[in-house]
Amino acid sequence: MNTVVLVGRLTKDPETRYTQGEKPMAITRYTLAVDRRFAREGEQTADFIPCVSFGKSAEFSGKYFTKGMRVSVRGRIQTGSYTNRDGVKVYTTDVVVEDQEFAQSRGEAGEARQEAPQEQEERREPFTASNEFMKIPEGIDEELPFV
């Protein structure tokens, strides 16, 4: 099984390009800085993982993801190779994104980010901007099944 799940921060704004042809398709590339759980002294504490998304997913990440934003990615690892202009064979490893979403609150993202589309809004949990749980009104205890 080839499945990877990552949570990290974007190292720079994503780059979106379109294929040529009758029906152009978006391809967006970005790099995630993913913290390591344990690091030895003097070692790097993060891995920088290249990700690529296609189609609608690529358009979404290209439009709404920005440098420094924390995102969650689910996908698969894909390796490949090509020969560069100097005739040297270059090996590549990318995470092909199958699912991606914001992994921070609007407050963390700041006011600079544009509003997310409606489908993202509908999936958002009922928390306040400060990440506190929603307040339950007084007298509703009798109606809650888990009290």
Side-chain angles (χ1 to χ4, degrees):
M1 180 184 315
N2 182 357
T3 301
V4 62
V5 176
L6 304 169
V7 177
R9 294 194 179 273
L10 276 74
T11 60
K12 62 181 182 176
D13 289 343
E15 295 177 12
T16 303
R17 297 182 182 193
Y18 289 84
T19 60
Q20 295 179 352
E22 198 171 304
K23 291 187 175 184
M25 179 177 63
I27 301 172
T28 299
R29 293 185 170 277
Y30 53 87
T31 301
L32 282 184
V34 179
D35 288 330
R36 293 183 180 174
R37 285 184 104 177
F38 305 102
R40 295 181 185 149
E41 194 169 324
E43 278 190 359
Q44 168 179 320
T45 60
D47 292 302
F48 299 90
I49 302 171
C51 300
V52 59
S53 57
F54 299 93
K56 296 283 186 191
S57 181
E59 290 174 2
F60 178 86
S61 58
K63 187 173 182 179
Y64 296 106
F65 286 3
T66 58
K67 177 182 177 178
M69 184 178 285
R70 189 172 38 171
V71 297
S72 170
V73 169
R74 184 183 57 79
R76 61 183 168 81
I77 294 177
Q78 180 173 297
T79 60
S81 65
Y82 63 93
T83 304
N84 68 12
R85 293 179 186 159
D86 299 327
V88 177
K89 192 165 192 171
V90 178
Y91 295 93
T92 62
T93 302
D94 293 308
V95 171
V96 177
V97 176
E98 295 171 357
D99 187 34
Q100 61 192 357
E101 57 189 54
F102 301 110
Q104 65 186 25
S105 70
R106 281 188 185 180
E108 288 177 315
E111 301 300 327
R113 185 170 55 94
Q114 298 174 350
E115 287 295 314
Q118 185 62 31
E119 62 268 14
Q120 290 292 319
E121 185 68 32
E122 292 170 4
R123 292 191 301 168
R124 193 163 278 128
E125 296 293 323
F127 300 118
T128 65
S130 63
N131 282 337
E132 295 177 11
F133 285 99
M134 193 171 85
K135 305 289 186 237
I136 297 176
E138 293 293 323
I140 198 168
D141 292 342
E142 300 82 36
E143 297 176 29
L144 297 176
F146 50 83
V147 177

